[in-house]
Structures are given as structure tokens and as C-alpha cells.
Amino acid sequence: MRALVPPLLVLIAASSAAHGQEIIEQDRLESVIAEDGSILVIAGQYKGQVDTELPPIMMLDEGDVAAYGASSIGELIQAVSPQTSSGRGRGGGHPVILLNGQRISSFRILRNIPPEAIRRMEVLPEEVAMRFGFPPNQRLINFILKDNYASKTVAGEYNAPTRGGFGNWELEGGLLTIDGPRRFNIEAKIVEDTLLTEAERNVRQAARDIPAVATDPDPARFRSLIDASTTTTLNSSWSTGLGDEGMSGTLGIDGGYTRNETRSLFGLNTVELMSNGETALRSFGDPLERRSTSDTFEGGLALNKPLGAWQLSATADGSYSDTLTTVDRKANTAVLVDAALAGTLDISGPLPSLASPGLDRARTRDLALSTLVTLSGQLLRLPAGEAALTLNTGFDFDRTQSRDTRTATGPVQFKRGDLSAGANIVLPLTSRKDNVLGGIGDISLNFSGGLNHLSDFGTLYDWSGGLTWSPTGKLTLQASYIVNEAAPTLNQLGNPEIISPNVPVFDFTRGEAALVTIIDGGNPNLLAEKQRDIKISANWQVPLFRRSSLLVEYFRNSSDDVTRSFPLLTPASEAAFPGRAVRDGMGRLVSIDQRPVTFDMVESSRLRWGLNLSGRLTKQKEAPPGARRGGGRGRGMPGFGRRGHGGRWNLSVYHTVRFTDRVTIAAVGPVLDQLGGDALSDGGVPRHSLEFEGGVFHKGIGIRLNGNWDSPATVRSQAGPGSSDLRFGSVFRLDARIFINLGMREKLVEKMPFLKGLRLAFDFDNIFDSRQKVTDGTGAVPLAFQADYRDPRGRMVGIDLRKMF
């Protein structure tokens, strides 16, 4: 509990000092230049800003966004991941995304939009997502775009590791026009990664896996650490206003296509030959390949329309994907084994050719449709303010069809319909503004409830309750309790069985590395999960710098009947799931069935606190909220205008300390303490984690740093003689980006006009080439945990060139 002391002491001191003061939120202050040249500061709110009693975790204006040097909104979200990541431990993927305070059909319509189009960006707590019909699993990001903007963009990027072996390159181009409520965007992108093999990284091999004859090909040359892949995407979106100047709402349509091709290698055919008491491991034939091609089509529709004092939002998003995977079959070596035993084949001589075993094919077709309709507004007027109500309903449909020649079950189909309905209400109890018990600050309650009727799992329920208290304008305290029932995904239930040979793993029971066959796929016997979460948080707007804050969050999660991937194979998990691990007559590991399983109970608690600091290097006058800022149209140059020249700096640091993390595998099975040496996943669970990002930007030149650190963890074997504990060392990763917006160097552009709109950036990922070191009880690194298995990329350097017209 000592980790609670530093942030709480600061909060108590700040609360005491600021108690009773009526303070206007700094992020809503805007500067207006009066006729006499004086600067007046008034409270204002941007059009499209989310109206909520919860303060933002982060807010960026145009100049702040420019300081990140991101090429797209997707890159910008990555750059601020410490602030946008949720500590609740539920959900995954991107945060909930709003555009101008309204829901959109899909993040794909914003992913590749240039950040120069952003007027303002705000990051809000998870609880705000409920007001837009989403569960409180992820934080919410609202992007407010400029009213008038136009740009054409072309960009290229190349990245390579300092140790060589492979490369990555990207090419993209796009067109964006914004004219009030009307917006059109089209973009195309291609990304390619080349193949990296074990031999190119000098990965050590177990002696028993090295061919006995020197002239045999080395299997390590034909086992990939990084697959070769090519991804091509094409996306477009269009929106328009309804009525006069969009006063009657907006309508948006979008669509996209993605093609992904991958190729991986998993070794050579091998055979162990025996003759006259001697044995020899032989390798032969062409490389064993796995090839996969997928085509994905996506489309969406969004309608946002006022209905009197209420706001109606309706979205629909659909996708269809077709994935074909072909896998080379291993050769039938029985004829070679029999010939060697009969003495007709020299076990060290040339091997005869074998008939081609052919290919296995797996095909999966996925269809998904998601719709959501929300109606939000002011339900009634209470003494302390308006009671806000959000009603939502929706229908989701998912279908998975699969066929695999490696199974005898034939075609398999799973489908699910999900009819949902819910409500969220916020009730203000006290108000400083309305002088209703204002001496104690602003207090509000929020409640939500909902249900999901699943065609294959019946009806699942969720509900939550929360309290928000702002004793001052700078300090907000919040507590919530969330109960949710969740079903396994269709992929977890019905993925086709995939068999992957020659996969390196560590056998805790024998304390050795092994190449085994891994079985993946779905498990139709999974159960529905029940989640119960507690969250307590405090958000203090630090008065030291511009838009600075201290955020403290405590989480306690408890879940029953939890669906997870098959855990790390330790003696405890092997005993809890008999039959999942197969061993030969000598006890050596042969295969692992890693299809999903259901744990009886999972419990965890943790504290996450972070400090966000930001400021300006020089003072400059601010334009009022309604003024046009940069980003002209027609032949005007898109950009951040003069706001980016003022100079910005920021630093955000977040620390997570985990107090408990326990898993009950079965009702009568063992209880695993993941902080005490038990493990479900490769690497264990670190007790402490740090995330940080920061940088400086001035006159078009910027430096960004982004990093994270995990404390070491130990995984105990708990087996007999020959077994070994593993220590997973701490990992510190630091990335850097140095960029220059040449178009902002006015004197340089005057001499060389073609530099207008050009930005050059250099990326340095994992500067210190930090990769987790794993050691056993003797201090040696097991073969299965070599650094190149943990992170084959290592340190990467890259160059990024972007031109805007």
C-alpha cells in the first residue's frame, strides 16, 4: 500500500488548498484580443465538445497536436497511448472514438486522416463511453475537426533493424476535403515486411534437432521468426449535412477493402534413421510453408440528427472476410525408416526422393454486422441541474464458416445474433453553479443497465452505478461498480483446428527446450463469464503548468468462468487439464493442445497513477474559439498555421502496481498466484510497470520519446528433479522520433518552394536494443527463450517522408 502514499498526499494537500474556491476549468478558458490590444480571458466551449461533469484526462489543441509529429490520427493515438490506455483490464483495441462529439460507424474513417485537420482532441474517462451506448471498457477520444480544410498527401516510409535480416516499407496517399458538415476522404496504403529466419539471427538449436550429416540442409534457414507479409488497403468516407448548413444533422457513409498475404516457414522434413544400433537425424526436401491470403470488405453508415432537445444517433457497420490458408504436409518417412532398419539405406548417405505429400487447406469466411441506435438528452430539470438520459438498442450478427482438410468433421458453421438494449442516467445532486449545497461541491450519480439476448447463449445482463464528486473546480473524485456478463467469441468457440509442427517451447517439467506440434482452434464447450469490477479514481488539475493533471485510479476485478487461451504449460496447468499435453515413452514433450479453456475464477487488484505535464516555450496570443486557424482551402496550404510556432513541451508518466493476481483453474483445482511465481502466460506478470511519453517542439522541429518498463518476474516450476524455475528480466524500451516540418521554415521555403508541405522524420525504435533476458536456475538462457525468439526485430531505424499539397 506504500505505492498509494505519494499521489494521495499530493491530492490531499491540493484539495485542502483549493477547497471552497470557485475555479473555472482551465481547458475551457479562451483568449480574446480586444480592440485596444488587451487580452481578455473568458470561458468558452468548442462546437463538438463532449459535455460531461467528468474532466478530460487529456486535451490537445492544434499546436499540441503538431508537437507530436504524427502522420495520421492513428499514429497520434499510438503516440499518446499512456493517456488513452484504460487500466480497467477489460476490452481491447482502440478507445471509443467520436467525431465532433458524435458517434461514427468505424475508426477506419479517421485512421489515416492527417492530424493537421484536427482543431481539438480530448481524452475522457471510461464512464463517459456509457453516454454513447458503449460499455465502460475503454477510454473515449473525441476529435473535433476544422470547419474548412483541404489536403492531398503522399508519404513513404522505410524501416530496418540495425542487425539486418529484413525490412519494412510503406507507401500511402490520400485526399481530404472538409467544408462545414460536408467531408470527403479517400486513401490507399500498402505495407510490406520481408522474411526473417532463425539462421539470419544465429538462433541456437538443440543438439538433437541438428542434422547428423553435414551436407543436409540446415532447418534453421527455413524457420521464420518474422513472416513475409503484404497488406494493401483502400478506404473512403463521405458525409454531408442535413437541412440548412447541417442544422438538421449529418449523414455519413464509408467503405473499405483490405488484402493481406502472408508466408511463413516452419522447417524441413526430418526423419530419425536407425541401423545397427546407430541413429542419425536427417533433413531433406523443400521448405515447409504456410501461406495465407485474406480479403476483407467493410462498409458503414452513420446518422446523427437532433430531435427537438434530444439527439438521435444511428450507426451500422458490416464486414465480410474470406481467408484461405494452405499448409505443406510433412512427408511420410516410413519407407526411409524401414529401409534403414533393413540395412538397404545408408543412414549417412543420399536419401531417395519421396512422393509429394500435397497440401492441406483451411478456409474461413466471416460475416459481421453491428448496429447501434442511441437517443440522448435532458430527461428533467432537478434543483442541481439537468438529469441526462441515454437510451440505446442494437443488433449484432456474426457468422463463421470454416472448412479444413486436416479434420474429418467437414464444413463447420457458427452464427450468433445479439439483440441489445440499455439505458444510462446521470443525476446531479449538488451544484456550486446553481447554489444547491454548493459548499460541498458538485455531486452526481450515474446508473446504467442493459441486456444482451444471444441466440446461442441466452440472455446476459449488465448494470453499473457510480458517484462523481468535485469538491473544487480542480479536483474530481469518482467511484463505480460494474457487473457484466460476457460470452466467448465465435472464434474462440469455432475456429478451425490448425496444427503447427516444429514450434519451440520450454518444458518446465523436464527443464529443457523442445520442438513440438501446437494445436490451435476453437472450443465449443466454453462458458459465459460474469465480471464484477470496482473502480475508484481521482483527477486533479495541477495548477503548475498549462493543462497538467494528476490521475490516480484503483481497480479491483473479479470474474467467474473466464475464457482464456491455454495457459503456459507448467506442471500445475498440465495436471489441471489432462490430455492437453502429449509426451512420448521417454517423457519428452511431443504436442500441446492450446485451444481455449475456461478458468473457474480470476481475481486482480492494481493501482495506476499518472502525471501529465505540458507547457509552452514562448508566449503568444490565442485566437477566440470561432476564429479560423490555419488549414486554408483551395490553393491554401494545409497545416497548423502560426499556432505551431509558439513551441510546446509535454511529459506524461504512468505507473501501475499490481497488488493481487490470482487464478483458480478449476473448482477443485489449484489457485495460481501470478505475482508469486505461478504463470498462465509466457513471461509471467510483472508487479510494476511504467509508461511514459514526452517531447519538445519549436519552429517546426520536434523530438518525441515514448517508452515503457516492466519489472522482472519469476515463474516457478514446482516439479521434481530436472525441472527449473525461470526468471524473466526487466525490460526497458525507449523509442524516439526526430522530425522537421520543412514547410514551417519560411526562409527555407522562400529559397526552395518545393519544400512547402514537406516533413522529414527519423524513427528509432527500441534505441537500446532491449530484449527480455530469460534465465533458468543455473543462469543459462534456455533455447526456447532466446532473445531473438522474444523480439526478433530488436533496434529499428527508419526514415519517413511526407508531402502535403
Side-chain angles (χ1 to χ4, degrees):
M1 297 298 291
R2 286 179 293 181
L4 285 166
V5 176
L8 288 182
L9 285 178
V10 176
L11 284 172
I12 293 170
S15 179
S16 300
H19 182 67
Q21 298 179 10
E22 185 71 25
I23 303 175
I24 299 175
E25 294 181 21
Q26 183 176 354
D27 282 321
R28 293 191 180 184
L29 297 182
E30 297 296 336
S31 303
V32 176
I33 304 174
E35 293 182 357
D36 61 1
S38 61
I39 299 177
L40 302 178
V41 180
I42 61 173
Q45 183 167 342
Y46 280 87
K47 179 183 178 181
Q49 191 171 342
V50 175
D51 186 13
T52 173
E53 77 283 0
L54 291 172
I57 295 169
M58 179 185 195
M59 187 174 289
L60 303 177
D61 62 22
E62 298 172 37
D64 299 323
V65 171
Y68 281 89
S71 298
S72 65
I73 286 181
E75 286 189 9
L76 178 63
I77 293 177
Q78 272 189 320
V80 295
S81 58
Q83 298 93 320
T84 60
S85 300
S86 172
R88 192 186 160 210
R90 308 289 189 186
H94 281 285
V96 172
I97 303 295
L98 301 182
L99 174 59
N100 299 327
Q102 299 178 336
R103 288 196 295 109
I104 56 178
S105 61
S106 170
F107 176 60
R108 66 177 168 268
I109 73 172
L110 292 179
R111 182 186 294 115
N112 292 318
I113 283 182
E116 286 85 349
I118 298 174
R119 185 182 183 190
R120 200 172 183 88
M121 169 185 170
E122 52 187 0
V123 181
L124 295 160
E126 295 87 341
E127 289 74 17
V128 180
M130 293 189 292
R131 303 189 183 188
F132 295 89
F134 298 99
N137 293 335
Q138 297 150 319
R139 288 181 175 169
L140 182 145
I141 304 178
N142 181 34
F143 290 101
I144 302 174
L145 300 185
K146 296 175 181 178
D147 292 331
N148 294 283
Y149 180 85
S151 71
K152 301 180 184 70
T153 306
V154 292
E157 180 178 344
Y158 181 76
N159 304 281
T162 55
R163 291 182 293 134
F166 78 102
N168 160 270
W169 61 266
E170 301 179 13
L171 289 176
E172 60 182 309
L175 167 70
L176 171 65
T177 60
I178 303 174
D179 184 7
R182 292 177 290 276
R183 186 185 72 254
F184 175 75
N185 179 44
I186 186 169
E187 70 228 5
K189 185 175 184 179
I190 182 169
V191 181
E192 181 169 302
D193 284 293
T194 60
L195 190 77
L196 178 69
T197 66
E198 293 183 4
E200 290 174 302
R201 283 289 185 263
N202 295 317
V203 173
R204 292 180 294 121
Q205 310 292 322
R208 68 170 183 268
D209 298 324
I210 299 176
V213 178
T215 56
D216 283 357
D218 181 6
R221 294 176 52 202
F222 307 102
R223 281 198 294 266
S224 53
L225 293 170
I226 296 177
D227 298 343
S229 66
T230 302
T231 302
T232 306
T233 59
L234 177 65
N235 290 303
S236 184
S237 65
W238 169 85
S239 70
T240 188
L242 303 176
D244 186 23
E245 295 297 324
M247 297 299 294
S248 298
T250 59
L251 174 67
I253 301 173
D254 68 276
Y257 168 73
T258 302
R259 181 176 178 85
N260 181 260
E261 300 172 304
T262 62
R263 171 178 168 265
S264 61
L265 304 178
F266 56 96
L268 295 167
N269 284 295
T270 59
V271 59
E272 189 172 50
L273 301 178
M274 179 180 295
S275 178
N276 298 322
E278 296 184 358
T279 61
L281 179 69
R282 302 296 305 275
S283 62
F284 64 95
D286 295 326
L288 299 174
E289 294 188 358
R290 181 186 297 106
R291 294 161 295 275
S292 179
T293 302
S294 66
D295 294 283
T296 302
F297 302 86
E298 300 171 290
L301 177 70
L303 172 67
N304 290 278
K305 181 177 178 60
L307 297 178
W310 294 72
Q311 179 70 29
L312 174 69
S313 293
T315 57
D317 186 53
S319 67
Y320 172 79
S321 65
D322 188 346
T323 303
L324 175 64
T325 302
T326 60
V327 182
D328 290 341
R329 292 173 180 164
K330 298 188 71 174
N332 184 351
T333 59
V335 63
L336 300 180
V337 173
D338 293 342
L341 289 173
T344 59
L345 177 64
D346 182 359
I347 63 174
S348 299
L351 299 179
S353 299
L354 298 179
S356 173
L359 300 171
D360 281 308
R361 299 176 182 271
R363 188 160 197 169
T364 302
R365 295 183 175 95
D366 293 322
L367 176 66
L369 175 65
S370 176
T371 62
L372 180 63
V373 179
T374 61
L375 183 65
S376 57
Q378 311 301 325
L379 180 63
L380 53 89
R381 173 72 186 184
L382 298 176
E386 299 285 351
L389 176 67
T390 299
L391 303 174
N392 68 80
T393 185
F395 179 76
D396 294 350
F397 177 79
D398 293 279
R399 187 193 68 194
T400 295
Q401 297 174 326
S402 61
R403 178 194 295 266
D404 196 323
T405 58
R406 290 166 293 184
T407 65
T409 57
V412 176
Q413 174 173 290
F414 290 89
K415 60 182 179 179
R416 171 183 292 170
D418 180 0
L419 179 63
S420 63
N424 173 258
I425 188 169
V426 180
L427 303 172
L429 301 182
T430 68
S431 171
R432 290 174 295 151
K433 178 182 176 181
D434 295 315
N435 199 26
V436 178
L437 299 178
I440 62 175
D442 296 329
I443 299 178
S444 64
L445 297 175
N446 68 80
F447 301 96
S448 71
L451 60 86
N452 293 73
H453 181 73
L454 278 63
S455 57
D456 58 336
F457 258 82
T459 303
L460 305 176
Y461 299 92
D462 65 86
W463 63 272
S464 69
L467 170 69
T468 301
W469 175 33
S470 297
T472 74
K474 294 286 187 179
L475 178 64
T476 300
L477 308 175
Q478 197 269 341
S480 61
Y481 181 69
I482 303 168
V483 177
N484 182 55
E485 295 177 329
T489 67
L490 280 181
N491 287 336
Q492 290 173 327
L493 292 168
N495 267 353
E497 182 180 287
I498 301 293
I499 299 175
S500 303
N502 299 328
V503 178
V505 301
F506 184 77
D507 185 353
F508 282 85
T509 300
R510 293 173 58 90
E512 65 183 15
L515 291 176
V516 304
T517 298
I518 298 295
I519 302 172
D520 290 309
N523 180 357
N525 299 316
L526 301 173
L527 304 176
E529 175 181 348
K530 186 170 185 179
Q531 306 168 352
R532 297 173 297 278
D533 298 343
I534 295 174
K535 175 187 173 183
I536 303 173
S537 68
N539 189 339
W540 176 44
Q541 304 300 310
V542 180
L544 300 178
F545 302 101
R546 173 182 175 267
R547 291 181 186 158
S548 298
S549 63
L550 174 66
L551 178 66
V552 182
E553 299 174 304
Y554 171 79
F555 301 91
R556 184 177 179 181
N557 297 356
S558 178
S559 302
D560 298 329
D561 296 327
V562 181
T563 295
R564 291 278 182 89
S565 300
F566 188 77
L568 185 69
L569 188 67
T570 62
S573 60
E574 187 172 356
F577 297 99
R580 287 298 190 104
V582 177
R583 298 181 180 273
D584 62 17
M586 300 179 63
R588 295 180 299 189
L589 195 59
V590 175
S591 67
I592 306 174
D593 184 348
Q594 291 188 344
R595 287 176 292 187
V597 295
T598 298
F599 296 137
D600 184 65
M601 180 180 293
V602 176
E603 301 170 291
S604 64
S605 61
R606 62 201 167 279
L607 176 79
R608 186 175 190 257
W609 67 281
L611 185 63
N612 303 304
L613 303 174
S614 65
R616 290 182 177 169
L617 301 178
T618 58
K619 294 183 179 180
Q620 71 176 58
K621 295 181 179 181
E622 292 280 355
R628 180 174 297 182
R629 305 170 177 176
R633 287 187 49 77
R635 295 187 180 180
M637 186 60 221
F640 291 97
R642 296 187 45 154
R643 294 174 60 88
H645 287 276
R648 310 294 172 102
W649 67 269
N650 84 288
L651 175 65
S652 296
V653 181
Y654 281 77
H655 171 222
T656 299
V657 55
R658 299 169 180 85
F659 302 124
T660 59
D661 196 325
R662 293 187 295 267
V663 178
T664 304
I665 290 184
V668 294
V671 178
L672 303 183
D673 180 3
Q674 296 203 85
L675 296 176
D678 299 323
L680 293 177
S681 60
D682 187 358
V685 176
R687 185 174 291 274
H688 295 273
S689 297
L690 283 176
E691 305 168 82
F692 67 90
E693 66 90 7
V696 178
F697 178 73
H698 188 53
K699 294 184 178 180
I701 300 176
I703 300 176
R704 303 298 311 175
L705 295 177
N706 192 299
N708 55 73
W709 172 83
D710 289 328
S711 63
T714 298
V715 176
R716 298 177 301 177
S717 172
Q718 297 180 332
S723 64
S724 177
D725 294 349
L726 290 182
R727 184 184 186 276
F728 293 82
S730 63
V731 180
F732 174 65
R733 179 187 172 104
L734 179 65
D735 301 335
R737 181 175 176 86
I738 301 173
F739 63 95
I740 177 171
N741 290 333
L742 296 170
M744 297 179 68
R745 314 293 293 184
E746 296 176 358
K747 293 183 179 180
L748 188 62
V749 171
E750 289 178 2
K751 297 178 181 178
M752 293 178 284
F754 70 89
L755 295 180
K756 188 176 182 179
L758 186 66
R759 191 193 64 200
L760 176 65
F762 298 94
D763 294 317
F764 305 89
D765 295 341
N766 196 0
I767 292 175
F768 301 116
D769 200 15
S770 175
R771 294 175 295 168
Q772 190 173 50
K773 184 177 182 180
V774 184
T775 55
D776 59 20
T778 67
V781 177
L783 295 178
F785 289 99
Q786 294 176 72
D788 287 302
Y789 283 141
R790 310 292 293 167
D791 178 11
R793 292 179 180 269
R795 182 193 299 114
M796 300 280 293
V797 295
I799 183 171
D800 183 352
L801 194 64
R802 188 186 67 160
K803 171 72 173 176
M804 301 188 72
F805 303 90

